[in-house]
Amino acid sequence: MAPNPKRVNIGLLLSMLTIFIAATVELVFCQNVVTNDGLVSEKYEARRMYTITLSIDPSIIQIIADPRFSSEYYPMYEMVYMSKKPRSEIRRISELMNKLTVPEIWQSQTDIVADQTTVANPNKVGILPEGTVEKQPAYVWWVASGFYEAKSAFSSNVGGIFLINLATDKWRPIPIVNRTGKGFSHTEWIDMDIDGYVDCVTIEGSNSMNSLIWLQQPASQSRWIQHRISGLQEDVGGTEFRVMKLPSSETGTVTNVFIVAGRTTGKLTAYWVEDMNNDWSRERKKKSIVIATDGSYVGIEIVDLNMDGRPEILTSTSATAGKRGMVLAYEYPRDGFDKGGKWRKHILSQWQMAATSYTTTSPGPAFSFRIQSAVEGRTQAKPHILVSGQDDGKVYILSPETGSPYIWDYKREVIWSSDKRIGTPAIADVDGNGEVEIFIPSDFSINVMKYMKSSASRKTAPVHIMPVLAAIVNAIFNIITFGRS
């Protein structure tokens, strides 16, 4: 029997209507984007929540998890913020999740952990790994201090590395190193000489020299003994570094590789020891190599940016006279870092501003963070990147354009802008709802933002709505056609 033209026309009309309705719903309600590699990604936006005015000018904010009340999946965060001279202080707000929606109680609920009389000019706080020292309490901070001058130098103050027992009501910083004219910004805690005691790896900075060293933990209550990693007359150019655990083609084992970001030297340098046990007491086995020379390096992080299962170096360079500022990623050589292989460089974003001196720089450090995705089938998303603009008064987010591990394209967005210098911000999902909070220090204030799904994305229309609409329209079509036959 020949098909009824009216039925065909009705069917065609309803099919076209299905496509139109589905596309409209996707566009208006879902606001999802199909990337170059076919991956569906959600749209996010940064919203300002509130600003807290302080009696000190915070230069650094950190969000850390209290190990006494945290688990792998449910961290209990504290906010730590620090100021430098003329009023050095370390302050903290505990149980931040419970106080996030009531900022009016922040001031009354803030603890002063240290001040100018105990720790001058703090640079960073971290949690001492469990079992680092004998009879270690449940919650101990390490603090790196020393006033940070322009050109990556420290003034003639007393800087050091301190341990603070946070499990008590009274906090007394105990120095493991404390020296005049020196400064410290970061530590790594590793057994460097395989004697069963965890040692402290750090960079000792001064006006004339920045040296990568390790401090040997004594077996008794005596001073920590200093050993040098970098050369005797070698200036590593800054005090920021991290450790990468990389497979060595020479020893066939995993090697601790220390990556140093040289601010004044413009070099990114790796240090390791050719020993299968990572025994740094074997002085003659020490090795180093310059990874790249792309500018004045600021900050460093080790993270798997492209989700290929291998870590990358994430860093940034501040604009100096004649050079642009950049956010960069470096992939370690697949044929072995210790064979002189080339580290593959990716420029994730560039800044047009060209500073005329070291006193005005942008961008500052970059920090990776992950966002929770509800898109079906998307279990592993590339991390986003938060960037401090420092002297340009802005804060940026770099969003990956695709989910492909081979494409390194990022979209840059300004989420905060002012006429004041930006300090070191922090980012974390404090309340555990899958959307991160951003804490921005600037001009005697902390500005709080939330990076969340866009208002359109939050309307929960299903992503795969086409099959549902098609079934409904097909049912109507059958009723119409068979009802007429």
Side-chain angles (χ1 to χ4, degrees), residues 259-334:
I259 313 294
V260 179
R263 185 166 183 173
T264 57
T265 60
K267 295 179 182 179
L268 198 65
T269 310
Y271 296 87
W272 72 96
V273 62
E274 282 188 350
D275 179 78
M276 63 183 305
N277 297 313
N278 289 294
D279 184 356
W280 284 83
S281 65
R282 304 187 67 182
E283 295 282 340
R284 295 183 179 181
K285 291 288 185 177
K286 292 189 300 185
K287 301 289 183 179
S288 68
I289 191 172
V290 175
I291 295 172
T293 56
D294 289 309
S296 180
Y297 290 99
V298 182
I300 185 171
E301 188 176 296
I302 306 302
V303 59
D304 185 0
L305 285 171
N306 64 345
M307 298 303 292
D308 66 347
R310 306 183 327 131
E312 284 82 42
I313 300 171
L314 171 64
T315 185
S316 54
T317 59
S318 281
T320 57
K323 284 193 175 183
R324 293 180 176 180
M326 298 180 288
V327 174
L328 299 155
Y330 297 91
E331 294 183 88
Y332 75 85
R334 293 181 180 272

Side-chain angles (χ1 to χ4, degrees), residues 356-369:
T356 57
S357 70
Y358 283 98
T359 58
T360 304
T361 56
S362 183
F367 307 92
S368 66
F369 67 96

Side-chain angles (χ1 to χ4, degrees), residues 140-366:
V140 179
W141 283 1
W142 60 261
V143 181
S145 71
F147 184 71
Y148 198 72
E149 293 279 16
K151 297 188 178 181
S152 187
F154 289 91
S155 64
S156 58
N157 71 108
V158 177
I161 297 172
F162 301 84
L163 304 182
I164 305 178
N165 180 9
L166 269 292
T168 62
D169 294 331
K170 295 182 179 180
W171 304 298
R172 183 171 64 91
I174 299 174
I176 68 170
V177 59
N178 198 15
R179 293 172 182 164
T180 301
K182 304 294 184 179
F184 305 84
S185 295
H186 182 69
T187 66
E188 298 282 354
W189 300 86
I190 299 170
D191 184 357
M192 296 288 283
D193 53 355
I194 324 299
D195 65 350
Y197 294 94
V198 177
D199 307 302
C200 176
V201 183
T202 189
I203 293 180
E204 181 184 74
S206 71
N207 286 327
S208 58
M209 179 75 74
N210 298 274
S211 302
L212 181 62
I213 64 173
W214 62 281
L215 302 169
Q216 181 182 4
Q217 182 179 169
S220 59
Q221 297 296 323
S222 58
R223 67 183 184 88
W224 293 54
I225 303 169
Q226 178 174 318
H227 303 270
R228 183 178 294 273
I229 295 175
S230 57
L232 187 62
Q233 300 299 322
E234 180 184 4
D235 181 8
V236 298
T239 54
E240 285 293 339
F241 74 101
R242 294 297 185 274
V243 62
M244 291 185 81
K245 294 185 177 296
L246 299 178
S248 169
S249 59
E250 189 71 28
T251 65
T253 58
V254 174
T255 298
N256 294 326
V257 183
F258 299 103
I259 313 294
V260 179
R263 185 166 183 173
T264 57
T265 60
K267 295 179 182 179
L268 198 65
T269 310
Y271 296 87
W272 72 96
V273 62
E274 282 188 350
D275 179 78
M276 63 183 305
N277 297 313
N278 289 294
D279 184 356
W280 284 83
S281 65
R282 304 187 67 182
E283 295 282 340
R284 295 183 179 181
K285 291 288 185 177
K286 292 189 300 185
K287 301 289 183 179
S288 68
I289 191 172
V290 175
I291 295 172
T293 56
D294 289 309
S296 180
Y297 290 99
V298 182
I300 185 171
E301 188 176 296
I302 306 302
V303 59
D304 185 0
L305 285 171
N306 64 345
M307 298 303 292
D308 66 347
R310 306 183 327 131
E312 284 82 42
I313 300 171
L314 171 64
T315 185
S316 54
T317 59
S318 281
T320 57
K323 284 193 175 183
R324 293 180 176 180
M326 298 180 288
V327 174
L328 299 155
Y330 297 91
E331 294 183 88
Y332 75 85
R334 293 181 180 272
D335 56 349
F337 72 93
D338 48 357
K339 290 297 184 182
K342 184 176 178 58
W343 294 64
R344 189 176 181 185
K345 178 179 73 175
H346 303 278
I347 300 175
L348 309 186
S349 190
Q350 294 190 72
W351 272 251
Q352 297 296 331
M353 176 180 132
T356 57
S357 70
Y358 283 98
T359 58
T360 304
T361 56
S362 183

